[in-house]
Amino acid sequence: DTAVSQTPKYLVTQMGNDKSIKCEQNLGHDTMYWYKQDSKKFLKIMFSYNNKELIINETVPNRFSPKSPDKAHLNLHINSLELGDSAVYFCASSRTPFGFYEQYFGPGTRLTVT
Amino acid sequence: GQQVMQIPQYQHVQEGEDFTTYCNSSTTLSNIQWYKQRPGGHPVFLIQLVKSGEVKKQKRLTFQFGEAKKNSSLHITATQTTDVGTYFCAGAGAGNNRKLIWGLGTSLAVNP
């Protein structure tokens, strides 16, 4: 059983389109995250949810909207995609929102905007 | 705000050579975590250090947490091609600011 799963694994789309990425964790964790990793490998946290409540919202364009229907799922919707959105997006989960517990990452979604 | 600096950004070694990556925080940390990301893969948790001066070993990997809990290092002895990847440190602030702050990562390449 995959602990943290994401779909789709690859996403190729044109500028201006809207797309969604889905994430699910079966670890029973309370906290889930979205990260963006650009070509330079820098891991930038975008959002974090704890028990369906948004607790971290970094300086991300409001074209990005996360949604957590329950604590096992965290989706990311992106409106009006731009070239600069091309990156790998990782979902992760941890037992609590504080940095004391390790984070488990999904396999990533490679988004390419043309 | 709190920052975690990680150096070097890249390291290229010959198989069998040693490798070290360093993390330095601008503030005291409550704990620090290390992750490894293989090429094309996702970050995978390696270890967590909590105590001042703590040293932990995993086979050829040695992790240290500084006495002041503001710096940490990961040392790999006699690198192998399987060590290739990007190593990230991530530190949690002390007190009420327990958010994990990530270093920029060190990408390790190993020549066979």
Side-chain angles (χ1 to χ4, degrees):
Chain A
D1 264 354
T2 306
V4 182
S5 58
Q6 290 179 234
T7 54
K9 191 166 173 64
Y10 300 97
L11 191 49
V12 181
T13 188
Q14 291 184 327
M15 284 174 56
N17 284 349
D18 304 339
K19 291 293 179 186
S20 291
I21 308 171
K22 295 187 176 183
C23 177
E24 177 180 0
Q25 55 98 0
N26 62 6
L27 297 167
H29 289 167
D30 284 348
T31 311
M32 296 184 73
Y33 311 82
W34 278 113
Y35 286 89
K36 178 181 181 182
Q37 186 173 50
D38 59 24
S39 57
K40 293 184 179 180
K41 296 291 187 182
F42 177 48
L43 268 174
K44 176 180 163 52
I45 185 154
M46 302 171 70
F47 303 102
S48 177
Y49 272 74
N50 186 54
N51 265 322
K52 303 191 296 177
E53 182 183 341
L54 181 66
I55 57 169
I56 294 177
N57 185 353
E58 296 294 313
T59 49
V60 176
N62 56 17
R63 298 181 295 102
F64 290 78
S65 50
K67 193 167 185 179
S68 182
D70 55 62
K71 75 174 193 177
H73 296 84
L74 180 62
N75 304 322
L76 183 65
H77 186 77
I78 315 170
N79 288 325
S80 302
L81 279 154
E82 300 177 358
L83 291 176
D85 298 332
S86 295
V88 180
Y89 291 84
F90 287 104
C91 174
S93 74
S94 63
R95 198 181 297 184
T96 70
F98 304 111
F100 195 73
Y101 291 99
E102 65 267 34
Q103 296 186 11
Y104 292 80
F105 284 77
T109 296
R110 182 174 293 276
L111 171 64
T112 303
V113 182
T114 61
Chain B
Q2 182 187 355
Q3 290 185 328
V4 173
M5 309 300 291
Q6 190 173 354
I7 57 169
Q9 191 173 355
Y10 302 99
Q11 185 82 56
H12 206 142
V13 300
Q14 205 65 29
E15 191 171 21
E17 291 181 339
D18 293 356
F19 158 78
T20 306
T21 173
Y22 301 90
C23 272
N24 291 292
S25 169
S26 55
T27 59
T28 302
L29 301 171
S30 63
N31 56 281
I32 193 159
Q33 298 175 357
W34 285 91
Y35 292 78
K36 177 184 178 181
Q37 182 178 18
R38 293 180 187 271
H42 58 276
V44 174
F45 174 78
L46 292 176
I47 209 160
Q48 175 166 272
L49 305 171
V50 179
K51 299 177 185 175
S52 167
E54 190 170 14
V55 178
K56 286 188 176 180
K57 293 192 175 187
Q58 288 180 350
K59 296 182 181 178
R60 294 177 295 103
L61 277 61
T62 302
F63 303 84
Q64 292 188 328
F65 202 8
E67 293 290 341
K69 299 183 74 172
K70 294 179 77 173
N71 56 72
S72 181
S73 65
L74 157 59
H75 179 82
I76 303 179
T77 303
T79 53
Q80 299 175 358
T81 54
T82 52
D83 296 324
V84 165
T86 302
Y87 293 85
F88 292 96
C89 63
N96 291 328
N97 183 14
R98 299 291 298 273
K99 191 171 74 171
L100 211 57
I101 306 296
W102 291 78
L104 295 182
T106 296
S107 290
L108 172 65
V110 179
N111 266 355

